Amino acid sequence: HRGANREAPENTIPAFRRAIELGADYVEIDVRQTADGHLVLMHDATVDRMTGGSGAVTALNLVDLLRLRIRGGGTIPTLDEVFSQLQGRVGFYFDWKQAEPAKVAEALRRHGVVADTVFYGSPDRLAQLQQLELRVRLLPEAVSAENIDRLVERLRVTYLAFDRRDFTPENVRRAHLYGAQVFVDRLGPEDTTQHYRQAIAWGADGIQTDHPDRLVTMTRRSRINHF
């Protein structure tokens, strides 16, 4: 979840490298587009929390963003940097905050990471990307049994995302019947070994955590995906 964000600033190269060292199979990256059309990593809509600057990512040019220092050290990474430095070492869980589908598809092809990336975002946005790049692996939010049916009808769904609201044994079984893998968030109060065990027992194929060291240690002998 945003890299090993307890050991390095979230959404930075050091956080991702540390997550890889700890054994993560995927790193989650939050992607936004700058005013001049570049793709960068930032969870929030503004840079205020993470840097000494202020303003919306969409209102700032790349050169302005690169002048900012992230609290805890470093600069805001571009998507190009992340792909070029980490390609082949880890999978990418692409949390699509705000970016043009065409720019996303172009970056995937340029770096050759289509097969290494799963995409979380709204069904509309995922549908647009799928039209541009048929090979993409999509990860829409499950929401409910009825919504799972609708998603499978509309998209070529490879994975389904779950959190505490929609993660039930029934919904997991439904996802697996459609051939989709189940990725579930175990964040906040649910980021515990007890909840990891429950997720595995219910059939999760991947678990998102803020504590990859804890999760990897507990699941080292299983085939679960850590991110």
Side-chain angles (χ1 to χ4, degrees), residues 1-27:
H1 186 225
R2 310 179 199 174
N5 65 74
R6 296 301 191 265
E7 300 189 34
E10 67 182 48
N11 276 309
T12 63
I13 300 293
F16 299 141
R17 285 178 173 158
R18 181 56 180 151
I20 294 169
E21 290 172 357
L22 292 171
D25 302 294
Y26 289 83
V27 290

PDB file of all heavy atoms in Angstrom, residues 1-27:
ATOM      1  N   HIS A   1       0.847  -1.185   0.000  1.00  0.00           N
ATOM      2  CA  HIS A   1       0.000   0.000   0.000  1.00  0.00           C
ATOM      3  C   HIS A   1       0.888   1.243   0.000  1.00  0.00           C
ATOM      4  O   HIS A   1       1.451   1.606   1.023  1.00  0.00           O
ATOM      5  CB  HIS A   1      -0.917  -0.012   1.233  1.00  0.00           C
ATOM      6  CG  HIS A   1      -1.920   1.096   1.224  1.00  0.00           C
ATOM      7  ND1 HIS A   1      -2.165   1.861   2.346  1.00  0.00           N
ATOM      8  CD2 HIS A   1      -2.735   1.564   0.260  1.00  0.00           C
ATOM      9  CE1 HIS A   1      -3.103   2.755   2.066  1.00  0.00           C
ATOM     10  NE2 HIS A   1      -3.466   2.595   0.801  1.00  0.00           N
ATOM     11  N   ARG A   2       1.047   1.849  -1.202  1.00  0.00           N
ATOM     12  CA  ARG A   2       1.921   3.017  -1.377  1.00  0.00           C
ATOM     13  C   ARG A   2       3.376   2.688  -1.035  1.00  0.00           C
ATOM     14  O   ARG A   2       4.135   3.548  -0.606  1.00  0.00           O
ATOM     15  CB  ARG A   2       1.431   4.201  -0.557  1.00  0.00           C
ATOM     16  CG  ARG A   2      -0.050   4.515  -0.739  1.00  0.00           C
ATOM     17  CD  ARG A   2      -0.495   5.694   0.117  1.00  0.00           C
ATOM     18  NE  ARG A   2      -1.952   5.686   0.275  1.00  0.00           N
ATOM     19  CZ  ARG A   2      -2.625   6.516   1.056  1.00  0.00           C
ATOM     20  NH1 ARG A   2      -2.000   7.440   1.751  1.00  0.00           N
ATOM     21  NH2 ARG A   2      -3.939   6.432   1.156  1.00  0.00           N
ATOM     22  N   GLY A   3       3.758   1.432  -1.214  1.00  0.00           N
ATOM     23  CA  GLY A   3       5.100   1.002  -0.833  1.00  0.00           C
ATOM     24  C   GLY A   3       5.167   0.679   0.649  1.00  0.00           C
ATOM     25  O   GLY A   3       4.161   0.622   1.340  1.00  0.00           O
ATOM     26  N   ALA A   4       6.385   0.467   1.136  1.00  0.00           N
ATOM     27  CA  ALA A   4       6.575   0.239   2.579  1.00  0.00           C
ATOM     28  C   ALA A   4       6.504   1.597   3.265  1.00  0.00           C
ATOM     29  O   ALA A   4       7.517   2.177   3.657  1.00  0.00           O
ATOM     30  CB  ALA A   4       7.908  -0.453   2.836  1.00  0.00           C
ATOM     31  N   ASN A   5       5.286   2.117   3.388  1.00  0.00           N
ATOM     32  CA  ASN A   5       5.102   3.520   3.780  1.00  0.00           C
ATOM     33  C   ASN A   5       5.347   3.797   5.249  1.00  0.00           C
ATOM     34  O   ASN A   5       5.298   4.947   5.666  1.00  0.00           O
ATOM     35  CB  ASN A   5       3.700   3.994   3.375  1.00  0.00           C
ATOM     36  CG  ASN A   5       2.598   3.268   4.137  1.00  0.00           C
ATOM     37  OD1 ASN A   5       2.356   3.500   5.314  1.00  0.00           O
ATOM     38  ND2 ASN A   5       1.917   2.361   3.438  1.00  0.00           N
ATOM     39  N   ARG A   6       5.616   2.761   6.037  1.00  0.00           N
ATOM     40  CA  ARG A   6       5.992   2.971   7.438  1.00  0.00           C
ATOM     41  C   ARG A   6       7.494   3.155   7.590  1.00  0.00           C
ATOM     42  O   ARG A   6       7.980   3.565   8.635  1.00  0.00           O
ATOM     43  CB  ARG A   6       5.529   1.804   8.310  1.00  0.00           C
ATOM     44  CG  ARG A   6       4.010   1.616   8.395  1.00  0.00           C
ATOM     45  CD  ARG A   6       3.340   2.846   8.950  1.00  0.00           C
ATOM     46  NE  ARG A   6       1.939   2.636   9.294  1.00  0.00           N
ATOM     47  CZ  ARG A   6       0.903   2.913   8.518  1.00  0.00           C
ATOM     48  NH1 ARG A   6       1.127   3.404   7.288  1.00  0.00           N
ATOM     49  NH2 ARG A   6      -0.341   2.718   8.894  1.00  0.00           N
ATOM     50  N   GLU A   7       8.239   2.854   6.515  1.00  0.00           N
ATOM     51  CA  GLU A   7       9.698   2.933   6.573  1.00  0.00           C
ATOM     52  C   GLU A   7      10.285   3.990   5.642  1.00  0.00           C
ATOM     53  O   GLU A   7      11.465   4.325   5.757  1.00  0.00           O
ATOM     54  CB  GLU A   7      10.302   1.562   6.249  1.00  0.00           C
ATOM     55  CG  GLU A   7       9.851   0.464   7.215  1.00  0.00           C
ATOM     56  CD  GLU A   7      10.622  -0.816   7.013  1.00  0.00           C
ATOM     57  OE1 GLU A   7      11.816  -0.746   6.672  1.00  0.00           O
ATOM     58  OE2 GLU A   7      10.032  -1.899   7.213  1.00  0.00           O
ATOM     59  N   ALA A   8       9.489   4.497   4.742  1.00  0.00           N
ATOM     60  CA  ALA A   8       9.917   5.558   3.811  1.00  0.00           C
ATOM     61  C   ALA A   8       8.666   6.304   3.373  1.00  0.00           C
ATOM     62  O   ALA A   8       7.560   5.770   3.459  1.00  0.00           O
ATOM     63  CB  ALA A   8      10.649   4.955   2.612  1.00  0.00           C
ATOM     64  N   PRO A   9       8.800   7.545   2.903  1.00  0.00           N
ATOM     65  CA  PRO A   9       7.613   8.298   2.476  1.00  0.00           C
ATOM     66  C   PRO A   9       6.815   7.540   1.410  1.00  0.00           C
ATOM     67  O   PRO A   9       7.388   6.951   0.495  1.00  0.00           O
ATOM     68  CB  PRO A   9       8.202   9.596   1.911  1.00  0.00           C
ATOM     69  CG  PRO A   9       9.500   9.759   2.624  1.00  0.00           C
ATOM     70  CD  PRO A   9      10.036   8.364   2.792  1.00  0.00           C
ATOM     71  N   GLU A  10       5.506   7.568   1.554  1.00  0.00           N
ATOM     72  CA  GLU A  10       4.622   6.843   0.639  1.00  0.00           C
ATOM     73  C   GLU A  10       4.801   7.284  -0.808  1.00  0.00           C
ATOM     74  O   GLU A  10       5.134   8.432  -1.101  1.00  0.00           O
ATOM     75  CB  GLU A  10       3.166   7.048   1.050  1.00  0.00           C
ATOM     76  CG  GLU A  10       2.683   8.478   0.875  1.00  0.00           C
ATOM     77  CD  GLU A  10       1.254   8.683   1.342  1.00  0.00           C
ATOM     78  OE1 GLU A  10       0.913   8.248   2.465  1.00  0.00           O
ATOM     79  OE2 GLU A  10       0.473   9.283   0.591  1.00  0.00           O
ATOM     80  N   ASN A  11       4.562   6.334  -1.714  1.00  0.00           N
ATOM     81  CA  ASN A  11       4.616   6.621  -3.153  1.00  0.00           C
ATOM     82  C   ASN A  11       5.968   7.177  -3.601  1.00  0.00           C
ATOM     83  O   ASN A  11       6.037   8.038  -4.481  1.00  0.00           O
ATOM     84  CB  ASN A  11       3.503   7.604  -3.557  1.00  0.00           C
ATOM     85  CG  ASN A  11       2.179   6.908  -3.819  1.00  0.00           C
ATOM     86  OD1 ASN A  11       2.106   5.948  -4.580  1.00  0.00           O
ATOM     87  ND2 ASN A  11       1.129   7.380  -3.178  1.00  0.00           N
ATOM     88  N   THR A  12       7.043   6.677  -3.003  1.00  0.00           N
ATOM     89  CA  THR A  12       8.384   7.079  -3.417  1.00  0.00           C
ATOM     90  C   THR A  12       9.197   5.838  -3.774  1.00  0.00           C
ATOM     91  O   THR A  12       8.894   4.723  -3.344  1.00  0.00           O
ATOM     92  CB  THR A  12       9.120   7.846  -2.304  1.00  0.00           C
ATOM     93  OG1 THR A  12       9.291   6.984  -1.161  1.00  0.00           O
ATOM     94  CG2 THR A  12       8.359   9.099  -1.897  1.00  0.00           C
ATOM     95  N   ILE A  13      10.249   6.040  -4.551  1.00  0.00           N
ATOM     96  CA  ILE A  13      11.106   4.927  -4.946  1.00  0.00           C
ATOM     97  C   ILE A  13      11.678   4.190  -3.735  1.00  0.00           C
ATOM     98  O   ILE A  13      11.672   2.951  -3.707  1.00  0.00           O
ATOM     99  CB  ILE A  13      12.235   5.414  -5.881  1.00  0.00           C
ATOM    100  CG1 ILE A  13      11.665   6.056  -7.160  1.00  0.00           C
ATOM    101  CG2 ILE A  13      13.168   4.257  -6.226  1.00  0.00           C
ATOM    102  CD1 ILE A  13      10.951   5.111  -8.092  1.00  0.00           C
ATOM    103  N   PRO A  14      12.179   4.893  -2.691  1.00  0.00           N
ATOM    104  CA  PRO A  14      12.674   4.163  -1.526  1.00  0.00           C
ATOM    105  C   PRO A  14      11.606   3.294  -0.856  1.00  0.00           C
ATOM    106  O   PRO A  14      11.913   2.180  -0.403  1.00  0.00           O
ATOM    107  CB  PRO A  14      13.142   5.286  -0.588  1.00  0.00           C
ATOM    108  CG  PRO A  14      13.507   6.403  -1.500  1.00  0.00           C
ATOM    109  CD  PRO A  14      12.484   6.341  -2.605  1.00  0.00           C
ATOM    110  N   ALA A  15      10.363   3.766  -0.805  1.00  0.00           N
ATOM    111  CA  ALA A  15       9.291   2.965  -0.213  1.00  0.00           C
ATOM    112  C   ALA A  15       9.020   1.716  -1.035  1.00  0.00           C
ATOM    113  O   ALA A  15       8.776   0.628  -0.490  1.00  0.00           O
ATOM    114  CB  ALA A  15       8.021   3.807  -0.085  1.00  0.00           C
ATOM    115  N   PHE A  16       9.085   1.843  -2.350  1.00  0.00           N
ATOM    116  CA  PHE A  16       8.849   0.684  -3.208  1.00  0.00           C
ATOM    117  C   PHE A  16      10.010  -0.300  -3.121  1.00  0.00           C
ATOM    118  O   PHE A  16       9.802  -1.521  -3.071  1.00  0.00           O
ATOM    119  CB  PHE A  16       8.649   1.141  -4.655  1.00  0.00           C
ATOM    120  CG  PHE A  16       7.474   2.061  -4.843  1.00  0.00           C
ATOM    121  CD1 PHE A  16       7.553   3.137  -5.716  1.00  0.00           C
ATOM    122  CD2 PHE A  16       6.295   1.864  -4.143  1.00  0.00           C
ATOM    123  CE1 PHE A  16       6.477   3.991  -5.890  1.00  0.00           C
ATOM    124  CE2 PHE A  16       5.208   2.719  -4.306  1.00  0.00           C
ATOM    125  CZ  PHE A  16       5.305   3.783  -5.183  1.00  0.00           C
ATOM    126  N   ARG A  17      11.225   0.228  -3.106  1.00  0.00           N
ATOM    127  CA  ARG A  17      12.383  -0.669  -3.006  1.00  0.00           C
ATOM    128  C   ARG A  17      12.371  -1.447  -1.692  1.00  0.00           C
ATOM    129  O   ARG A  17      12.702  -2.637  -1.655  1.00  0.00           O
ATOM    130  CB  ARG A  17      13.666   0.148  -3.138  1.00  0.00           C
ATOM    131  CG  ARG A  17      13.962   0.592  -4.568  1.00  0.00           C
ATOM    132  CD  ARG A  17      15.208   1.424  -4.649  1.00  0.00           C
ATOM    133  NE  ARG A  17      15.578   1.710  -6.039  1.00  0.00           N
ATOM    134  CZ  ARG A  17      16.331   2.715  -6.416  1.00  0.00           C
ATOM    135  NH1 ARG A  17      16.833   3.547  -5.506  1.00  0.00           N
ATOM    136  NH2 ARG A  17      16.615   2.905  -7.692  1.00  0.00           N
ATOM    137  N   ARG A  18      11.985  -0.773  -0.628  1.00  0.00           N
ATOM    138  CA  ARG A  18      11.923  -1.459   0.667  1.00  0.00           C
ATOM    139  C   ARG A  18      10.832  -2.526   0.660  1.00  0.00           C
ATOM    140  O   ARG A  18      11.030  -3.618   1.206  1.00  0.00           O
ATOM    141  CB  ARG A  18      11.670  -0.431   1.782  1.00  0.00           C
ATOM    142  CG  ARG A  18      11.615  -1.049   3.173  1.00  0.00           C
ATOM    143  CD  ARG A  18      12.873  -1.827   3.499  1.00  0.00           C
ATOM    144  NE  ARG A  18      12.817  -2.419   4.832  1.00  0.00           N
ATOM    145  CZ  ARG A  18      13.444  -3.548   5.167  1.00  0.00           C
ATOM    146  NH1 ARG A  18      14.192  -4.198   4.279  1.00  0.00           N
ATOM    147  NH2 ARG A  18      13.345  -4.022   6.392  1.00  0.00           N
ATOM    148  N   ALA A  19       9.693  -2.234   0.030  1.00  0.00           N
ATOM    149  CA  ALA A  19       8.630  -3.233  -0.063  1.00  0.00           C
ATOM    150  C   ALA A  19       9.111  -4.468  -0.818  1.00  0.00           C
ATOM    151  O   ALA A  19       8.795  -5.606  -0.438  1.00  0.00           O
ATOM    152  CB  ALA A  19       7.408  -2.635  -0.746  1.00  0.00           C
ATOM    153  N   ILE A  20       9.878  -4.249  -1.875  1.00  0.00           N
ATOM    154  CA  ILE A  20      10.439  -5.366  -2.638  1.00  0.00           C
ATOM    155  C   ILE A  20      11.389  -6.179  -1.761  1.00  0.00           C
ATOM    156  O   ILE A  20      11.365  -7.416  -1.761  1.00  0.00           O
ATOM    157  CB  ILE A  20      11.161  -4.848  -3.891  1.00  0.00           C
ATOM    158  CG1 ILE A  20      10.149  -4.215  -4.857  1.00  0.00           C
ATOM    159  CG2 ILE A  20      11.927  -5.976  -4.581  1.00  0.00           C
ATOM    160  CD1 ILE A  20      10.787  -3.439  -5.991  1.00  0.00           C
ATOM    161  N   GLU A  21      12.232  -5.493  -0.996  1.00  0.00           N
ATOM    162  CA  GLU A  21      13.156  -6.182  -0.096  1.00  0.00           C
ATOM    163  C   GLU A  21      12.409  -7.046   0.918  1.00  0.00           C
ATOM    164  O   GLU A  21      12.869  -8.130   1.293  1.00  0.00           O
ATOM    165  CB  GLU A  21      14.020  -5.161   0.647  1.00  0.00           C
ATOM    166  CG  GLU A  21      15.038  -4.438  -0.231  1.00  0.00           C
ATOM    167  CD  GLU A  21      15.734  -3.314   0.519  1.00  0.00           C
ATOM    168  OE1 GLU A  21      15.379  -3.070   1.689  1.00  0.00           O
ATOM    169  OE2 GLU A  21      16.613  -2.671  -0.086  1.00  0.00           O
ATOM    170  N   LEU A  22      11.252  -6.563   1.351  1.00  0.00           N
ATOM    171  CA  LEU A  22      10.469  -7.288   2.356  1.00  0.00           C
ATOM    172  C   LEU A  22       9.695  -8.456   1.749  1.00  0.00           C
ATOM    173  O   LEU A  22       9.173  -9.290   2.486  1.00  0.00           O
ATOM    174  CB  LEU A  22       9.497  -6.332   3.051  1.00  0.00           C
ATOM    175  CG  LEU A  22      10.139  -5.275   3.951  1.00  0.00           C
ATOM    176  CD1 LEU A  22       9.106  -4.253   4.402  1.00  0.00           C
ATOM    177  CD2 LEU A  22      10.805  -5.930   5.157  1.00  0.00           C
ATOM    178  N   GLY A  23       9.611  -8.512   0.418  1.00  0.00           N
ATOM    179  CA  GLY A  23       8.962  -9.648  -0.230  1.00  0.00           C
ATOM    180  C   GLY A  23       7.632  -9.356  -0.883  1.00  0.00           C
ATOM    181  O   GLY A  23       6.906 -10.293  -1.245  1.00  0.00           O
ATOM    182  N   ALA A  24       7.292  -8.080  -1.085  1.00  0.00           N
ATOM    183  CA  ALA A  24       6.023  -7.746  -1.730  1.00  0.00           C
ATOM    184  C   ALA A  24       6.022  -8.191  -3.186  1.00  0.00           C
ATOM    185  O   ALA A  24       7.032  -8.079  -3.879  1.00  0.00           O
ATOM    186  CB  ALA A  24       5.763  -6.244  -1.642  1.00  0.00           C
ATOM    187  N   ASP A  25       4.887  -8.693  -3.637  1.00  0.00           N
ATOM    188  CA  ASP A  25       4.723  -9.097  -5.029  1.00  0.00           C
ATOM    189  C   ASP A  25       4.267  -7.933  -5.905  1.00  0.00           C
ATOM    190  O   ASP A  25       4.532  -7.911  -7.107  1.00  0.00           O
ATOM    191  CB  ASP A  25       3.699 -10.221  -5.128  1.00  0.00           C
ATOM    192  CG  ASP A  25       4.082 -11.422  -4.289  1.00  0.00           C
ATOM    193  OD1 ASP A  25       5.097 -12.049  -4.609  1.00  0.00           O
ATOM    194  OD2 ASP A  25       3.379 -11.711  -3.298  1.00  0.00           O
ATOM    195  N   TYR A  26       3.532  -6.993  -5.292  1.00  0.00           N
ATOM    196  CA  TYR A  26       3.059  -5.785  -5.969  1.00  0.00           C
ATOM    197  C   TYR A  26       3.331  -4.581  -5.085  1.00  0.00           C
ATOM    198  O   TYR A  26       3.361  -4.704  -3.855  1.00  0.00           O
ATOM    199  CB  TYR A  26       1.540  -5.833  -6.214  1.00  0.00           C
ATOM    200  CG  TYR A  26       1.077  -6.800  -7.262  1.00  0.00           C
ATOM    201  CD1 TYR A  26       0.894  -8.153  -6.965  1.00  0.00           C
ATOM    202  CD2 TYR A  26       0.780  -6.368  -8.553  1.00  0.00           C
ATOM    203  CE1 TYR A  26       0.446  -9.047  -7.922  1.00  0.00           C
ATOM    204  CE2 TYR A  26       0.332  -7.256  -9.518  1.00  0.00           C
ATOM    205  CZ  TYR A  26       0.166  -8.598  -9.200  1.00  0.00           C
ATOM    206  OH  TYR A  26      -0.279  -9.476 -10.151  1.00  0.00           O
ATOM    207  N   VAL A  27       3.495  -3.413  -5.713  1.00  0.00           N
ATOM    208  CA  VAL A  27       3.469  -2.155  -4.979  1.00  0.00           C
ATOM    209  C   VAL A  27       2.317  -1.321  -5.536  1.00  0.00           C
ATOM    210  O   VAL A  27       2.111  -1.261  -6.756  1.00  0.00           O
ATOM    211  CB  VAL A  27       4.794  -1.373  -5.082  1.00  0.00           C
ATOM    212  CG1 VAL A  27       5.892  -2.080  -4.306  1.00  0.00           C
ATOM    213  CG2 VAL A  27       5.218  -1.141  -6.528  1.00  0.00           C
TER     214      VAL A  27
END
